[in-house]
Amino acid sequence: MHSSTSNLSEYVGRFAPSPTGPLHFGSLVTAVGSYLDARSRGGRWLLRVDDLDQARNVVGAADGILATLEKFGFEWNGEAIRQSARLPRYGEMLDRLRAMQAVFPCSCSRRELADSALARDGARLYPGTCRDGPNQVRPAYAWRIRTAGSINFADLIQGPQHENLELEVGDFVVRRADGQFAYQLAVVVDDHDAGVTHVVRGADLLHSTGRQIYLQRLFGFSTPVYAHLPVVVNEAGEKLSKQTHAPAIDSTRPTRALVDALRFLGQRPPTEIAEAPVELLWQWAIANWTLDRVPHALQVRDELR
Ligand code: GLU
């Protein structure tokens, strides 16, 4: 589907897991938050598999995540989309950026950037070396966005946000020298093409939002509403992930795990509901979802289980 204008009264949400391993409690929390926000407002909820990063994809993980979501009673609209099937579309949008001269080819190697200052997310702040033409002749170039100015937006959970792209992020990569499109480009194009109006996701992506809004404005796309949920961290303060050895969710007890996810999100499910059939739990959760109860924090320790 391709829509550039979305009906204002229509809510379209989505969940976009990366298939780097089985669904763990952290990704379940994000799925639950985005699902309930959409369904409690009569919205549609789409599923997208963010499988651009070949090196991090785990064989079978995408199917495993979809099967777990189904078992937990999530119902999505339409077929799940895979980013790996959309490369020509990203190429088309990169060409648009080239035509606008919003991007420039960059020949800098990682080593050449190693002395640059650090951006907020730990990546190197690009010193602008190739802004006026590639510094060196190389067989392959990355494409970087020329950044300027600041982005402000209001996050429904985390409050007002301000980001000076030039100083805090720098000219960012939209296609790497090895040809891989960057997440920042893909997510903007995907959300737009699917008509997504509300992005409810983990707060680890709060700091990516300025870049995404910047791209939306270059393309003339509308900006969705953003709500960044607290990220589940372990006792060491690390985000649950494959790298931190987060255990796969126990799919033999869906209601238990869903009740834990609801409590993590500040909702107050009655204790008995953990023993009820999963359909009843969803009925309760959709009827009682309150975004205002979600903790206004970037991270929350997983102390429930
Ligand atoms: N695929 C990303 C992740 O799993 C989420 C992307 C998004 O929600 O924008 O962290």
Side-chain angles (χ1 to χ4, degrees):
M1 187 183 60
H2 194 148
S3 69
S4 54
T5 47
S6 54
N7 179 346
L8 279 181
S9 63
E10 191 192 357
Y11 182 121
V12 182
R14 63 18 165 223
F15 174 55
S18 302
T20 53
L23 199 75
H24 54 72
F25 184 62
S27 31
L28 180 70
V29 163
T30 308
V32 167
S34 67
Y35 187 64
L36 290 177
D37 205 56
R39 290 289 187 241
S40 65
R41 297 173 60 177
R44 290 190 294 134
W45 188 70
L46 313 178
L47 211 54
R48 183 179 78 224
V49 177
D50 281 359
D51 59 354
L52 273 187
D53 193 342
Q54 299 283 355
R56 291 183 63 219
N57 290 344
V58 168
V59 178
D63 291 341
I65 291 172
L66 299 194
T68 308
L69 290 173
E70 204 170 332
K71 192 155 180 202
F72 275 61
F74 288 90
E75 291 173 359
W76 52 95
N77 295 91
E79 291 289 311
I81 283 176
R82 288 182 194 240
Q83 288 190 324
S84 54
R86 289 177 46 78
L87 304 183
R89 174 72 177 141
Y90 307 140
E92 203 178 290
M93 296 313 279
L94 176 65
D95 288 345
R96 285 229 333 234
L97 293 171
R98 288 175 65 173
M100 292 180 227
Q101 301 190 340
V103 283
F104 59 89
C106 171
S107 63
C108 296
S109 65
R110 206 171 284 236
R111 187 176 321 148
E112 283 160 347
L113 297 177
D115 294 335
S116 323
L118 288 181
R120 225 159 78 183
D121 62 358
R124 296 285 163 190
L125 259 185
Y126 185 66
T129 322
C130 300
R131 263 193 165 195
D132 302 316
N135 188 30
Q136 295 183 40
V137 179
R138 286 246 160 85
Y141 299 95
W143 286 91
R144 285 183 185 272
I145 285 277
R146 201 182 297 277
T147 52
S150 295
I151 299 286
N152 294 303
F153 67 98
D155 188 88
L156 286 188
I157 299 171
Q158 308 295 341
Q161 306 292 318
H162 169 87
E163 195 154 52
N164 183 322
L165 283 186
E166 222 170 332
L167 298 179
E168 294 175 67
V169 177
D171 295 342
F172 57 95
V173 171
V174 283
R175 205 192 71 174
R176 302 191 328 199
D178 65 3
Q180 186 178 305
F181 292 101
Y183 154 71
Q184 308 293 357
L185 175 70
V187 67
V188 165
V189 175
D190 291 340
D191 284 343
H192 168 78
D193 288 359
V196 168
T197 60
H198 289 68
V199 171
V200 180
R201 62 183 176 190
D204 51 324
L205 294 166
L206 186 63
H207 179 53
S208 286
T209 310
R211 274 168 275 184
Q212 294 169 15
I213 295 176
Y214 191 74
L215 285 171
Q216 287 156 6
R217 291 184 184 167
L218 284 172
F219 288 133
F221 295 167
S222 51
T223 290
V225 172
Y226 287 100
H228 285 87
L229 305 166
V231 163
V232 188
V233 293
N234 64 19
E235 281 178 5
E238 302 160 331
K239 181 189 168 194
L240 299 194
S241 68
K242 191 172 163 246
Q243 287 72 29
T244 59
H245 310 292
I249 209 108
D250 177 4
S251 54
T252 60
R253 316 286 305 258
T255 41
R256 285 279 169 88
L258 289 169
V259 162
D260 286 343
L262 286 168
R263 295 212 170 111
F264 181 90
L265 290 168
Q267 312 300 300
R268 299 170 189 163
T271 323
E272 325 78 77
I273 211 150
E275 308 306 326
V278 82
E279 299 75 36
L280 277 187
L281 179 130
W282 281 122
Q283 252 175 42
W284 181 92
I286 292 169
N288 291 282
W289 171 250
T290 312
L291 190 69
D292 287 347
R293 291 210 177 114
V294 174
H296 298 192
L298 297 177
Q299 304 192 328
V300 172
R301 188 96 60 82
D302 173 22
E303 282 170 339
L304 291 164
R305 293 155 319 130

